[in-house]
Amino acid sequence: SVCPCVRARQLPPGRVPPLPPRRFVAGGRCESAARLDGKAAVITGANTGIGKETARELARRGARVIIACRDTAKGEAAASEIRAETGNPQVLVKKLDLADTKSIREFADSFLAEEKELHILINNAGVMLCPYSKTADGFEMHLGVNHLGHFLLTFLLLERLKQSAPARIINVSSLGHHGGRIRFHDLNGEKSYNRGLAYCHSKLANVLFTRELARRLQGTKVTANALHPGSVYTELVRHSVAMTWLWRILSFFLKTPWEGAQTSVYCAVAEELESVSGQYFRWVQADGMMYCGRKPCWLRKRALLSFFIKKGLCKRLVQLMPGRLKVTNTRALSLP
């Protein structure tokens, strides 16, 4: 059944209702009026785009919001804008480079030393269509930033989330996960690389990680859900000149960042989702169980690329369900 959040409501001050042809493109809106006073939230990549709009909405509801981003100057500008608009002084900026595990650990150490609670973690930051490159630790950039960086960040903050329960982990994935595959024999794309497929692979990893994380967190009152924000007019395609121009031409048919943030906000605040975990959301509603691809192909293969939580990143592959899994390369992706 469709959740109540898709009902029409009055837009926030300054928001113009979409024209009739755009209403379908805009998708649903978060209807929850829940307040977040006394709650703390970390949002990665919240200096621009969907993350910035998500931070604005959580701040408007009274949350203490930590903008975790690589470009702190841009982050401070966004934080100042949000503080001025919402009247909430508790919007802070901390440096976080998801392409560098040292930076991730430094962020986590600083956060844990200064903040006693964490109720909402939104893994929002991401890269798309990057030319082939690697992170500071030697991982392919899409996999390293979109999945492994957020995996490590989640692991480092997990105990604080459990202590602050009920708490929520929200992973911003993409409908592109349908085109993804976990290429066990070439995780870093050294044998074959396609920038579009590399993005899809990383988004599939987000979904699989969310599913396994939700299973492991059962009984802790910490939930984990993934979502597709829609096709949104943001800076995400900046690494592709062709896609940048295409995005400009098709901008009327794309969501605005505010519209794209609605599903993230819904997953973060909706009261009816307090015990919902392991789900995939789009159009501001649950899209059923997390089947990956047009058919549940990854469930048929009964395999999940899961990184054991031990000293950072994965130590070996695990299976979700009984059955055989042929893997050509099971070497651990260990941290240096």
Side-chain angles (χ1 to χ4, degrees):
S1 60
V2 178
C3 66
C5 61
V6 296
R7 296 193 300 267
R9 71 172 176 88
Q10 183 179 0
L11 293 172
R15 301 293 179 185
V16 180
L19 297 173
R22 271 195 45 81
R23 286 177 184 165
F24 176 77
V25 175
R29 302 171 191 155
C30 178
E31 287 298 317
S32 173
R35 294 287 302 173
L36 298 176
D37 301 285
K39 303 287 187 180
V42 169
I43 308 173
T44 65
N47 57 333
T48 186
I50 296 173
K52 180 180 176 181
E53 294 302 323
T54 304
R56 192 194 311 272
E57 185 59 34
L58 299 194
R60 182 178 285 116
R61 294 168 184 262
R64 179 178 176 82
V65 178
I66 289 86
I67 295 175
C69 60
R70 181 172 55 86
D71 188 340
T72 53
K74 203 169 184 179
E76 290 292 353
S80 297
E81 178 186 324
I82 293 171
R83 286 193 293 263
E85 180 178 325
T86 65
N88 183 347
Q90 298 189 92
V91 181
L92 311 175
V93 178
K94 287 184 178 293
K95 183 174 178 60
L96 171 66
D97 184 355
L98 289 164
D100 186 349
T101 56
K102 181 180 178 182
S103 174
I104 298 171
R105 292 183 184 279
E106 288 175 349
F107 170 86
D109 290 343
S110 172
F111 176 87
L112 294 173
E114 298 173 9
E115 305 291 336
K116 302 306 179 184
E117 293 183 308
L118 175 59
H119 303 93
I120 302 169
L121 171 61
I122 303 180
N123 292 320
N124 166 85
V127 294
M128 181 180 181
L129 301 175
C130 296
Y132 187 78
S133 56
K134 291 186 176 182
T135 67
D137 305 282
F139 300 115
E140 187 276 317
M141 189 61 70
H142 291 90
L143 183 68
V145 171
N146 295 352
H147 173 56
L148 295 178
H150 281 129
F151 173 90
L152 178 58
L153 177 65
T154 303
F155 164 68
L156 295 174
L157 300 180
L158 196 56
E159 286 304 314
R160 188 54 49 88
L161 284 160
K162 290 179 180 178
Q163 294 167 7
S164 307
R168 306 184 188 194
I169 300 169
I170 298 149
N171 295 321
V172 179
S173 182
S174 166
L175 202 63
H177 80 264
H178 286 284
R181 295 291 183 273
I182 303 301
R183 304 175 71 242
F184 296 104
H185 64 288
D186 189 22
L187 287 175
N188 283 322
E190 294 171 333
K191 297 178 181 179
S192 174
Y193 181 75
N194 178 289
R195 61 173 74 182
L197 289 178
Y199 174 76
C200 294
H201 300 333
S202 69
K203 294 290 107 177
L204 174 60
N206 290 157
V207 172
L208 295 175
F209 167 53
T210 305
R211 183 181 179 89
E212 175 65 8
L213 182 62
R215 186 185 69 82
R216 295 183 181 218
L217 291 176
Q218 289 177 357
T220 65
K221 294 187 178 180
V222 179
T223 61
N225 291 296
L227 65 91
H228 167 57
S231 298
V232 187
Y233 189 45
T234 67
E235 301 175 2
L236 187 63
V237 297
R238 64 187 179 278
H239 295 289
S240 170
V241 175
M243 285 297 293
T244 299
W245 278 103
L246 183 62
W247 244 228
R248 290 176 181 174
I249 294 170
L250 299 177
S251 60
F252 181 80
F253 302 100
L254 300 174
K255 289 184 177 183
T256 65
W258 181 83
E259 292 164 349
Q262 292 304 295
T263 307
S264 295
V265 174
Y266 175 65
C267 290
V269 307
E271 298 95 329
E272 61 267 29
L273 298 186
E274 185 168 325
S275 60
V276 174
S277 192
Q279 295 292 309
Y280 180 87
F281 290 80
R282 61 175 177 172
W283 292 92
V284 201
Q285 67 184 54
D287 195 32
M289 295 301 293
M290 272 192 218
Y291 290 121
C292 306
R294 295 177 182 175
K295 295 182 180 179
C297 57
W298 285 90
L299 293 186
R300 286 204 310 270
K301 291 183 179 180
R302 306 177 188 275
L304 169 66
L305 178 64
S306 173
F307 298 104
F308 272 147
I309 299 177
K310 184 179 180 182
K311 296 183 180 178
L313 296 179
C314 73
K315 291 299 178 184
R316 60 189 177 99
L317 302 174
V318 297
Q319 291 177 253
L320 263 181
M321 302 179 184
R324 292 184 179 179
L325 170 64
K326 294 182 179 179
V327 182
T328 57
N329 184 355
T330 59
R331 290 188 303 169
L333 296 183
S334 57
L335 288 174

